[in-house]
């Protein structure tokens, strides 16, 4: 059982020898001697039905989906940052400090690019997406601060603030002697 288009049947009716690579390009679009592949056949009714269903609503849904994809971009770089922070260790030497500094500047630049990231989505409300973006940036910053505290780069212990503890003066004194 073979499917033949109208032009192919017409050519076969003319009894002309036809090769598999010969096509009749003078026919209407889609009738070049080949049948449409399975699932490809589109009629004019289906095209009009899809346009009438919701061109604007479909576009809005697509924009919202893309906005959610943009909102999770801060978490995509977290895997690499976590691996680099883990590999750098917890000692405060030059390379781990540089890696922490680089991670800090990248997170701060993500905070500053919130409006730029969602600039292409002015036709929809992106408040939730921006909040998710900021929340993910905040989580990244919180982990970075935790790691920096573990390295001893942040003054988190009471011994780090010893210079600010006021000196105490003694109110009593005692003296004694030995025999």
């Amino acid at each position: 059982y073979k499917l033949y288009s109208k032009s192919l049947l017409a050519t076969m009716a003319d009894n002309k020898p036809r090769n598999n690579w010969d096509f009749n390009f003078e026919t209407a679009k889609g009738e070049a001697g080949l049948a449409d592949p399975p699932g490809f056949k589109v009629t004019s009714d289906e095209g009009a039905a899809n346009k009438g269903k919701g061109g604007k609503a479909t576009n809005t849904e697509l924009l919202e989906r893309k906005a959610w994809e943009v909102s999770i971009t801060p978490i995509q770089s977290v895997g690499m940052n976590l691996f680099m922070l883990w590999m750098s260790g917890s000692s405060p030497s030059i390379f781990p400090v540089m890696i922490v500094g680089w991670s800090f500047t990248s997170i701060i630049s993500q905070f500053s690019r919130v409006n730029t990231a969602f600039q292409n989505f002015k036709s929809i409300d992106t408040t939730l997406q921006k909040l998710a973006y900021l929340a993910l940036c905040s989580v990244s910053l919180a982990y970075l601060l935790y790691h920096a505290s573990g390295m001893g780069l942040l003054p988190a212990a009471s011994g780090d603030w010893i210079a600010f503890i006021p000196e105490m003066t003694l109110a009593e004194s005692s003296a004694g002697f030995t025999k």
Side-chain angles (χ1 to χ4, degrees):
Y1 177 71
K2 291 187 177 181
L3 296 175
Y4 293 105
S5 67
K6 295 175 188 175
S7 61
L8 182 60
L9 291 175
T11 306
M12 293 171 85
D14 293 340
N15 292 330
K16 293 180 185 175
R18 179 166 170 82
N19 295 325
N20 287 339
W21 56 86
D22 289 339
F23 296 103
N24 183 5
F25 291 111
E26 297 174 2
T27 60
K29 187 176 179 183
E31 295 183 5
L34 296 173
D36 289 331
F40 181 76
K41 193 165 197 146
V42 177
T43 62
S44 61
D45 303 348
E46 294 172 7
N50 286 340
K51 286 183 182 175
K53 267 186 191 173
K56 185 94 173 156
T58 306
N59 191 21
T60 304
E61 290 172 2
L62 180 64
L63 283 173
E64 285 182 5
R65 206 171 321 132
K66 288 294 182 182
W68 278 111
E69 288 177 11
V70 169
S71 70
I72 62 169
T73 54
I75 206 73
Q76 291 175 345
S77 63
V78 167
M80 180 186 64
N81 288 347
L82 290 178
F83 180 72
M84 287 176 58
L85 289 171
W86 178 69
M87 288 299 289
S88 67
S90 61
S91 64
S93 59
I94 187 70
F95 289 113
V97 170
M98 285 178 18
I99 290 172
V100 167
W102 174 78
S103 297
F104 183 73
T105 57
S106 70
I107 291 171
I108 295 301
S109 67
Q110 285 178 348
F111 270 116
S112 66
R113 288 191 306 246
V114 172
N115 290 327
T116 308
F118 292 98
Q119 189 173 15
N120 297 331
F121 305 105
K122 289 183 178 179
S123 61
I124 61 171
D125 182 30
T126 57
T127 305
L128 289 176
Q129 288 90 346
K130 286 181 181 180
L131 287 174
Y133 185 91
L134 290 173
L136 292 174
C137 286
S138 299
V139 167
S140 299
L141 183 63
Y143 178 76
L144 182 67
L145 292 176
Y146 170 75
H147 187 77
S149 175
M151 288 175 66
L153 297 177
L154 296 179
S158 61
D160 297 329
W161 300 97
I162 201 154
F164 300 108
I165 297 175
E167 197 174 313
M168 299 198 44
T169 56
L170 298 175
E172 292 183 25
S173 65
S174 65
F177 64 93
T178 60
K179 205 179 199 191

